[in-house]
Amino acid sequence: MRSVPYSFQPILKSSLLFVFCFLFHTVSGQISYGGKPLPLHAGMGARSIEPATDLFVEMPSFDVTAALRQSQQDQTNLKSLEFAHKFHPFLRPDNSGIGFVTGKMKVWRVGIRSKGAYSLNILFSKFRLPPGAQLFVYNSDQSEILGSYTEKNNTELNMLPVQPVGGDELIVEYQEPLDAVFNGEVEVGEVNHDFLGIFFRATEMRDPQQDCHPNLICYPEDIQPGSGVVGLIINGTTYCTGSLVNNTAEDGTPYLLTATHCLNSNYNPGFLANRRYDIVAGSIVAFFNYNSPLCDTDIRGPLQMTMASADSVLISERHDISLLRLKEIPPAEYQPYYLGWNAGSSPSAPFHGLHHPNGGIKKVAIDEDRPRLGSFTLPNNYQAEPNSFWEVGAWDTGATEGGSSGSPLIDREKRVLGTLTGGASMCSSPRGPDSYASLFKFWDVQGSLDNPNPISHYLDPEGSQVMQLAGFNPYAQQPFTKSHNFKPEDKAVSYLFQRIPLFATNNTFGYTEFAEQFYAGDGVELRGVFVSSPPVSSISSMNIRIKVYSGENGPERLLYEQPYNYSYRYFNNTDFPVSSRNMLYNIENYIRFNEPVSVSRTFYISYSDANGIPAGFSAFSAEARRVGSGIVSTAWMKNASGWVKSSENIENPINTTLLIAPYVIGNTSTSVEPEKEQFKLVVYYSSEVKRIFIESNYDLVEWEIFYSSGIKIHHETIDISINRGSYSSTHLPKGVYIVRVKTVDGTVSAKKVLVT
């Protein structure tokens, strides 16, 4: 292998992968134009045009343990993530790889290897192709191919960033016509080695690393302001948090507050030499309503409610606070909330931090003590404004993590005091301090990065001179309501019976479709549905269908059908494509209907798999409810015999609910509330399955079966809430039997049944 000069340095304290992040959004190079690379064996018999060399160039080893340790240490300072090690190999056709001619093309191939990398990402520091030339990047077995990139990818910057390839090897292949009008320029200037295993999936939100953070829904008073707090992925590499903020005109301008270090690679000197904050802002994807639907269970929220790209409005490096503006106004469907602000000097407790730790679902941190003003030490010797940060001494509940940067600290009235810069808090210890850039200290500061205006110019355009402003709901007259039948005491489970997922499509018990029952008033418009599911594999082989039914006695009339959607939008260095989520986690997805569906009174939402994959997709169900819970079963199951309530199926009657939530237009709950009915008991014999069935609208706690002579032949008690029991009669002689039943309220009743 030829000797190749290297200069390399680790990325400093941030999960921004590229020093050249200012190039993103300007460079249109990520768009590919089809075609295929040559087969791997193509160069073996071709005419060589360069002296024979090794195909692969090996990146130097580095101390991964030290890099991991440094990454963890940095998280105690700035609340963002370092995940990659950067090399500068400057690989070109004249100093690396192999060259050969095939047909009318000359070809250059170079392999890049960095042992132990979860993924590799490269930047072409020189990229200028003639007409007819093609460039590909692929892994060593060509199972993953990027490109082709052609002259259409040429830019004035003469560079091309390329998205990551999984694993620790990749190959670059450049094909150029022998009669090209000019010699192309191709140079691999950067190779980035992912040592945390997050960049290859950094386009998708993650789970918190620590477990002391309560979910947003645990605090009802935070739900509305929390709908203005968004998870941010910047350049597809940086996890941070931001918040929509109101202004005194209350005109719905989508201003977004976050931390400046989220945008500048933690004050990376390479970035500060150019300061293209506008380009970085253009790469942002904001995720709305990325929350767990339950308080006590962590379920990755929906990624379908996103806004792509923002403009930089006001950037302050010395205060580590930035005001951006989303390119578009969030739609009513997202139900966004514009948080108020408090730029005063005496905020009132308690103080809540609403944040996305580690890029995870929205969490809450609580401090009952009043914060004090302090200073913060920024990295790379960058001087922060002294005494300009609200300091939370120690959280009483929760903590923060990398990814929480930019999140708001709110006062008792749910007004923003500042944005998180960093700190030392952890779930174990210490619980602080954490430092938030203070609006109080920044309010009238002028001259931030070529902008003479203070932040008050934008947040108080009316010139009212107020120091506090309440929040604003721009869609107060256009509410959307999400509701489900889970109760606070319900625990979400993937219910197994005889080791088989009972609510999985096409299971061995013969059930193919499952539905949840709801109730609405007349003429309610159903806009979509949220479905929460446990980990599922092979979903790409399935054809999951979501259906809406009406019917008073179960799903009867099909109203609407649509494919299940688990895709989301992300940033891939130049644009915002759509990709499928990784479904190997507890996940909630939002399926937006192509058109609103009108529902009235009782309706049902179901899921099924048209491809018939065995034991395929399932929704979470509530753990079997105990006798006397007073909660009706709302889950339904379908097999070849038709629909049956989950509490009445033959195999394993269970009072439960599926974690499915309709999203309706208007302020209307669709949850099913139990109604007290007069006691009913039905006992009958089925000759088809040879069983005696006992059904009641009250919880059964005990039943007995007697011969007509009075001799007892069966006695059974149960402690879970069911309305149906059954007993095999295959060993019983024909005749009349007496069934005696006791229900949860103490009612005792007896019925005769004829076994034929």
Side-chain angles (χ1 to χ4, degrees), residues 529 531 544-548 560-565 591 593 605-608 617:
V529 62
V531 179
I544 308 300
R545 313 294 296 181
I546 301 295
K547 301 176 184 178
V548 181
Y560 185 78
E561 180 176 352
Q562 185 171 312
Y564 175 80
N565 171 41
I591 299 89
F593 291 165
I605 297 177
S606 79
Y607 61 90
S608 58
F617 179 85

Side-chain angles (χ1 to χ4, degrees), residues 382-602:
Y382 197 92
Q383 298 300 310
E385 192 68 28
N387 203 38
S388 295
F389 296 82
W390 288 119
E391 186 174 280
V392 175
W395 296 105
D396 296 298
T397 300
T400 61
E401 297 184 16
S404 302
S405 280
S407 62
L409 180 68
I410 58 177
D411 66 8
R412 182 177 62 194
E413 305 303 323
K414 310 304 177 185
R415 298 171 299 204
V416 178
L417 301 175
T419 56
L420 180 65
T421 290
S425 77
M426 300 177 63
C427 279
S428 52
S429 66
R431 301 306 289 270
D434 276 347
S435 296
Y436 288 77
S438 169
L439 280 178
F440 164 61
K441 298 293 289 188
F442 184 54
W443 191 245
D444 289 316
V445 172
Q446 298 179 339
S448 298
L449 288 185
D450 302 322
N451 188 334
N453 299 313
I455 195 170
S456 58
H457 173 80
Y458 300 98
L459 300 188
D460 183 19
E462 304 286 295
S464 65
Q465 303 300 311
V466 299
M467 300 302 289
Q468 299 177 358
L469 182 69
F472 172 59
N473 181 357
Y475 298 112
Q477 304 305 314
Q478 299 171 264
F480 280 62
T481 302
K482 172 188 177 183
S483 52
H484 52 66
N485 291 318
F486 262 64
K487 306 301 180 184
E489 63 270 24
D490 284 337
K491 179 181 178 182
V493 298
S494 178
Y495 191 81
L496 301 179
F497 177 60
Q498 297 179 355
R499 299 184 178 180
I500 297 169
L502 188 61
F503 296 99
T505 53
N506 309 306
N507 63 39
T508 56
F509 295 119
Y511 293 99
T512 58
E513 188 173 356
F514 302 87
E516 180 67 6
Q517 179 178 333
F518 302 97
Y519 186 86
D522 294 333
V524 173
E525 294 291 301
L526 181 60
R527 193 68 192 88
V529 62
F530 296 84
V531 179
S532 296
S533 57
V536 56
S537 59
S538 304
I539 191 169
S540 60
S541 302
M542 304 176 197
N543 180 10
I544 308 300
R545 313 294 296 181
I546 301 295
K547 301 176 184 178
V548 181
Y549 292 91
S550 63
E552 293 301 318
N553 299 303
E556 296 171 348
R557 294 172 294 280
L558 179 64
L559 302 178
Y560 185 78
E561 180 176 352
Q562 185 171 312
Y564 175 80
N565 171 41
Y566 59 103
S567 62
Y568 68 100
R569 184 165 44 165
Y570 70 101
F571 182 71
N572 76 342
N573 295 351
T574 56
D575 55 5
F576 298 90
V578 172
S579 178
S580 297
R581 295 187 75 173
N582 182 353
M583 295 294 289
L584 296 175
Y585 298 91
N586 296 341
I587 277 178
E588 179 183 56
N589 281 307
Y590 173 58
I591 299 89
R592 184 181 192 272
F593 291 165
N594 294 328
E595 56 189 38
V597 179
S598 181
V599 292
S600 298
R601 301 181 64 81
T602 302

Side-chain angles (χ1 to χ4, degrees), residues 216-228 291 337:
L216 178 76
I217 199 170
C218 300
Y219 294 89
E221 70 272 25
D222 285 334
I223 291 176
Q224 178 169 268
S227 65
N291 313 319
Y337 185 76

Side-chain angles (χ1 to χ4, degrees), residues 203-379:
T203 50
E204 184 167 339
M205 304 293 275
R206 312 193 319 135
D207 293 324
Q209 289 185 321
Q210 303 171 46
D211 60 5
C212 72
H213 319 293
N215 288 329
L216 178 76
I217 199 170
C218 300
Y219 294 89
E221 70 272 25
D222 285 334
I223 291 176
Q224 178 169 268
S227 65
V229 177
V230 295
L232 300 178
I233 297 182
I234 304 168
N235 282 334
T237 61
T238 301
Y239 296 102
C240 277
T241 306
S243 57
L244 291 174
V245 287
N246 193 16
N247 69 78
T248 55
E250 294 198 330
D251 55 7
T253 301
Y255 287 130
L256 183 71
L257 274 179
T258 192
T260 302
H261 74 265
C262 292
L263 308 174
N264 65 19
S265 190
N266 296 332
Y267 293 86
N268 187 288
F271 179 91
L272 297 180
N274 297 278
R275 288 189 167 91
R276 295 303 303 273
Y277 286 100
D278 54 338
I279 303 304
V280 178
S283 76
I284 285 177
V285 181
F287 294 85
F288 288 75
N289 301 307
Y290 187 64
N291 313 319
S292 175
L294 301 178
C295 176
D296 296 328
T297 304
D298 278 4
I299 297 174
R300 292 186 174 189
L303 294 181
Q304 285 76 30
M305 295 184 175
T306 62
M307 299 292 294
S309 195
D311 296 315
S312 63
V313 176
L314 183 69
I315 307 294
S316 174
E317 293 172 348
R318 289 179 62 82
H319 289 263
D320 193 45
I321 191 168
S322 288
L323 182 68
L324 311 177
R325 183 177 53 242
L326 294 174
K327 295 279 191 182
E328 299 178 44
I329 296 174
E333 191 174 3
Y334 293 10
Q335 289 293 283
Y337 185 76
Y338 293 69
L339 278 78
W341 36 261
N342 182 352
S345 60
S346 302
S348 300
F351 303 96
H352 289 203
L354 309 183
H355 60 117
H356 287 278
N358 204 39
I361 51 180
K362 200 171 299 162
K363 298 287 188 174
V364 179
I366 301 173
D367 183 26
E368 301 289 345
D369 301 318
R370 180 177 169 180
R372 63 182 184 181
L373 286 170
S375 299
F376 190 87
T377 302
L378 294 172

